[in-house]
Amino acid sequence: MTVLLTGDWTPFGKDDYFRKFEVYIMGWSDIDLNTLSLTSTSFGGPIAVIRDRNKFVKVQGGGKPVITIYTTSGVYISSFNWSSGQIVQLGWTSSLDLLCILEDGLVLMYDIFSNYRHTFSMGQEAIDTKVIDAKVFYTAQSTGIAVLTAAHRIFLINSVKEPKVRRLPEIPGVHKDAVCWEVMCEDRHSKVLFARGKDLYCLNEAEQNAVVLDVDLGDDVYMIKAMAVSYDFKLLAIFTDRGKLWIGKSDLSKCFRLSDVRNTSSPAQLVWCGNDAVIINWGTNLDVIGLKEETIKYNYDEPVFLVQEVDCVRAITLQSMEIIQKVPQVVRDIFRINSTAPGSYLLEASKQFKKKSHRSNEYLHLVKPKLFLAVQQCVEAAGHEFNTETQKMLIRAAQFGKIYLDDCSPENYVTMCRVLRCINAVRSPKIGIPITHTQLYTLTVQGLMKLLMMRHHHFLALDLAAFLKMPESSNVIRLHWACYKVKHSNRNKDQVAREIAEKLGVNKGVSYTEIAKKAADCGKTELAIKIIEYEPLANLQVPLLLRLGEDRTALVKAIESGNTDLVYTVLSHMRENIHLGKFQMEIRAFPLAQALYLKYCRLHNMDTLKDVYTQEDDHKSQAVCCIRESFDPKNSGMREASLVAAQESYKKAKLDLHASFCEEQLKLSKYQRSLEEKFKRDFVGKSLHATVKLLLSAQEVKLADKLRTEYKVPDRRYWWLRVQVLGELGDWFELEKFSKSKKSHIGYEPFLDICLKYGNRYEAQKYLPKVKEELKVKYLVKLGMMEEAAQTAFDQKDREALKYVESKCDPDLLEKVGGFLRQFPK
């Protein structure tokens, strides 16, 4: 069995091996790789095929080239006729969009199903001077493009999502020799290695001039024909026309190997196999050259196309897709002949146990000191295998070893079982993603889910997310499926909306608003309206309904939510987008909305508010508006006119009492205006109370009395005003005179209070005899006459009053007050 497992291994140096094994028998037909140009991408990406314009081909039928897209297993996905210009290079983005880079500097993007996405340009200079070559490169964040023009100028964008063109420094010298170049990315920064003849330059967007690089390629006279950069941009390979291959660090600080491949022709491809070797594709032969002295040759009967991956190379021919990679160390340790690795012993023990042989116990005793390591090796090795039977054999061995460990955590074992189920599912020829465990670690499970969604394998992605217990990814997949459904489905809108709702249900992680937006962007407005009905959150429903022109529905949803801010949002939108009269008629059917609108107008737009009340024949509200206007300082010149309008409105509303109030206010306003002219003081706009007080303060007593009589000011109010004003003026003689003029309507306590307020105790004592008996103790205390207050309280036999005096008096009087209190029965 071990011999069969290592049958495709080839020694590579002292202890290492390379292996080449078939993954798929290609499913395509009528393909001739001699006349076609292939383009693919990493992580088992799809293959785009187009007629090679550099080769003579007998054209049958239409002359327009066709771009056909296949999975890695050769299963047809889509195709489309090309008629948009001369293609310089095809490439793929990390999100599986096909990039068609044209000679005129334009880049057209199509999805994997040949649907046109959009177009962007590499800049005016690229358009003017023509593009002769292009490179598509990948960073951790996005996909970038660099183009080389006929003037040997390079223009670069770091992200196709935000195509901002950057111009790299100009290359010195005469533009006549053949060139080759590669893009390198370091710390979110891109630069280009450019070779022309024997000269090698570094073009950095952060520098103004090209930097000349010095590298020893083993000859004095040579020409650089090809270069290749490893997936992580750390290693570089350079091939010359003398057949020399230089392998070293990408910064040229170290050379690992300078090899003579004994072939001076131009290679079809120069790619890296992980970071372990460089593969030269001569068309039907491959040279695998290691970093030391290792070399392997693989021969094919037909042309082969190589795709560089993180840890291997995919070799695509007409018949099959194979993987070439360095045998992972853990696999080599377990399966190598005469291996003494713990995992190898555990695997043999498991096999013997299955055969019911006593030798199982012997192997188990050999590995027991390192049993934990053996289990881990078997689990890890299973992840690197493509053959499911080999995977099962290694997993069974790990399970067998775990039984004899007391504290072995099952986490790694369980995780690997789950991961193997997932990657075996996507490796199926129907899906065609031959991803390795190392690639999955780089891509992440979420990235794999994204690839499946891009290929519209939503059901499989959902199954994997459920199997791996990833609810967040499940929600993303459902949302992507629903957006795809609304975009491509041509069925009845009610049926589509109902089907989406049945599949998604009430799921907090999926927003129906996003799905409805997608439908709206596709021009399917009615479908968007149907879908948004399933959105439970009104604050998400309403903005989209307004965008779709469903103002009335949006208003209903906003009112039902009880969110006044949302109602105001709808009202504001409607007010701006429809005629005022129509708007007012629309909101009449919604009392809450109309009330909120009137409230807004009351605060910000009185003219509009009056228009609404006029339309509604609401005379009472019209009158209130007029009254508000009359008291607005900004409308002081229109005060009387507003009052007249208010009076008329009240009469129309048959509110005669309110109309009479307006009439009296109008008379007062006119009288105040005459007082202003006479005394040159502000009277207009003040209340009757304030007007009388101003006249009293001006010692215009007769005018104040006249106004009081005319407007029937109550005697108590007038007396209070008179006492307050005389106190403010300090006219104590007039105050005393006023107190004796008539019997006070407010008593004499206010006289005493006003005197004390302005600090005149002498005048205050004059009113003490007239104070009511029950209040005498209180006012004696206010006047500081504590002894008299105590005696009065005692005479009145008022125990509570005595206690009040006790709380206010000084210590000298406490004994006397205490004596009075003791005379009261307890």
Side-chain angles (χ1 to χ4, degrees), residues 286-297:
L286 304 180
D287 286 347
V288 182
I289 301 173
L291 275 59
K292 296 181 181 178
E293 295 300 323
E294 314 89 359
T295 300
I296 302 175
K297 291 185 179 293

Side-chain angles (χ1 to χ4, degrees), residues 766-799:
K766 292 181 180 180
Y767 304 102
L768 187 59
K770 297 182 179 181
V771 171
K772 296 176 182 177
E773 287 298 321
E774 61 270 19
L775 297 175
K776 229 162 207 183
V777 173
K778 175 183 174 182
Y779 280 94
L780 284 170
V781 170
K782 280 188 175 184
L783 288 166
M785 303 168 67
M786 296 299 181
E787 193 170 343
E788 290 82 348
Q791 187 63 50
T792 303
F794 180 73
D795 293 342
Q796 292 178 351
K797 299 180 179 181
D798 190 339
R799 183 182 182 87

Side-chain angles (χ1 to χ4, degrees), residues 445-579:
V445 176
Q446 288 81 0
L448 179 59
M449 302 290 181
K450 184 178 179 183
L451 292 183
L452 289 172
M453 288 188 291
M454 296 299 173
R455 298 179 184 219
H456 297 169
H457 296 303
H458 297 99
F459 184 75
L460 176 59
L462 204 58
D463 269 359
L464 297 185
F467 181 68
L468 295 173
K469 298 180 180 179
M470 300 170 64
E472 292 182 0
S473 294
S474 297
N475 293 334
V476 173
I477 295 165
R478 289 188 178 95
L479 179 60
H480 191 277
W481 168 81
C483 291
Y484 167 74
K485 189 80 174 175
V486 301
K487 183 177 181 180
H488 296 282
S489 178
N490 295 319
R491 287 186 292 172
N492 179 272
K493 60 181 182 299
D494 294 318
Q495 187 178 354
V496 173
R498 187 166 55 253
E499 184 178 347
I500 290 173
E502 288 173 356
K503 294 286 187 182
L504 302 184
V506 181
N507 194 324
K508 293 182 180 179
V510 180
S511 172
Y512 284 95
T513 305
E514 293 297 323
I515 304 168
K517 283 180 181 177
K518 186 68 176 179
D521 292 340
C522 296
K524 299 180 179 181
T525 304
E526 293 182 357
L527 177 58
I529 295 170
K530 290 291 181 182
I531 292 172
I532 200 64
E533 286 291 327
Y534 295 100
E535 175 58 58
L537 300 177
N539 61 326
L540 297 178
Q541 274 186 319
V542 169
L544 185 58
L545 286 169
L546 292 177
R547 174 186 162 187
L548 297 173
E550 294 294 311
D551 297 349
R552 191 179 183 89
T553 307
L555 185 57
V556 171
K557 296 293 183 184
I559 293 170
E560 289 175 352
S561 72
N563 187 335
T564 55
D565 290 339
L566 210 54
V567 178
Y568 276 127
T569 300
V570 178
L571 293 175
S572 176
H573 176 86
M574 294 175 67
R575 179 65 184 86
E576 291 173 1
N577 291 279
I578 62 177
H579 187 269

Side-chain angles (χ1 to χ4, degrees), residues 246-376:
W246 184 94
I247 302 174
K249 290 188 176 181
S250 58
D251 59 1
L252 307 180
S253 63
K254 184 176 181 180
C255 175
F256 297 117
R257 183 178 181 183
L258 183 60
S259 173
D260 187 354
V261 300
R262 303 182 185 279
N263 191 334
T264 59
S265 60
S266 297
Q269 287 179 282
L270 183 67
V271 299
W272 277 88
C273 184
N275 282 6
D276 305 302
V278 177
I279 301 181
I280 305 177
N281 181 6
W282 300 108
T284 58
N285 301 313
L286 304 180
D287 286 347
V288 182
I289 301 173
L291 275 59
K292 296 181 181 178
E293 295 300 323
E294 314 89 359
T295 300
I296 302 175
K297 291 185 179 293
Y298 290 120
N299 297 318
Y300 288 84
D301 298 329
E302 54 191 351
V304 60
F305 174 74
L306 302 181
V307 182
Q308 180 173 307
E309 294 280 4
V310 179
D311 59 335
C312 63
V313 164
R314 282 188 286 133
I316 301 171
T317 67
L318 178 62
Q319 303 297 329
S320 65
M321 193 287 289
E322 298 178 331
I323 284 182
I324 302 172
Q325 69 172 174
K326 182 180 177 181
V327 177
Q329 182 178 346
V330 66
V331 177
R332 180 197 68 196
D333 291 343
I334 291 176
F335 293 116
R336 187 175 57 181
I337 298 173
N338 298 326
S339 172
T340 58
S344 180
Y345 284 136
L346 180 58
L347 178 61
E348 194 61 34
S350 174
K351 290 179 182 178
Q352 296 300 328
F353 180 78
K354 187 177 181 182
K355 295 177 182 179
K356 300 182 180 180
S357 172
H358 69 280
R359 297 187 63 189
S360 174
N361 192 46
E362 295 174 7
Y363 283 110
L364 199 59
H365 274 290
L366 287 172
V367 78
K368 197 164 188 179
K370 297 181 179 179
L371 188 55
F372 179 80
L373 176 59
V375 171
Q376 295 303 107

Side-chain angles (χ1 to χ4, degrees), residues 600-619:
Y600 174 83
C601 293
R602 194 175 298 118
L603 296 173
H604 302 285
N605 195 333
M606 290 296 292
D607 291 336
T608 303
L609 183 65
K610 287 195 292 185
D611 290 342
V612 175
Y613 289 145
T614 301
Q615 181 176 317
E616 299 291 332
D617 290 333
D618 188 347
H619 300 297

